[in-house]
Amino acid sequence: MAAAAGVQPRFYRPPYGVLSAGALAAARRLGLTPVLWTCWGREWTRGATPRSVWATLGGNLTGGATVLLHDSDCTSPPGSAAAALGALPLLLEECAVRRLVAGPVGEHGLDA
């Protein structure tokens, strides 16, 4: 895993948020800590725009939140990833207004 990612992964976000017994056992065996999200942009819905993604995220944005956005259109309507990317400036601007610091999950202070 480290060779592909450039760093040793510490966390596991299960697809669709489904933590099955098998997935939990595999994560444990690999030394990964499962992590879910606090809010998501729902950019994978048909017709999503940067504004709709931001509107979905904004109401649940709090300190320590984990935001889920996808960077690919491979299993969602074309333009989904662009809607997520377009929402990032809005998200970061709001984080600044609320005095929240954006960063990777590894900086959340989770014990892995």
Side-chain angles (χ1 to χ4, degrees), residues 10 12 24 63 71 73-74 105-106:
R10 297 178 15 217
Y12 167 66
L24 286 171
D71 61 356
D73 291 346
C74 70
V105 151

Side-chain angles (χ1 to χ4, degrees), residues 36-109:
L36 296 176
W37 54 90
T38 307
C39 52
W40 59 2
R42 298 179 58 91
E43 76 285 347
W44 39 262
T45 59
R46 188 164 307 283
T49 66
R51 284 269 171 213
S52 71
V53 171
W54 162 239
T56 302
L57 289 172
N60 297 314
L61 191 60
T62 61
T66 299
V67 174
L68 175 65
L69 294 171
H70 298 85
D71 61 356
S72 172
D73 291 346
C74 70
T75 60
S76 57
S80 298
L85 183 62
L88 285 177
L90 302 169
L91 174 64
L92 294 174
E93 182 179 311
E94 186 63 21
C95 284
V97 167
R98 296 184 190 191
R99 299 178 193 251
L100 301 172
V101 178
V105 151
E107 294 178 4
H108 274 221

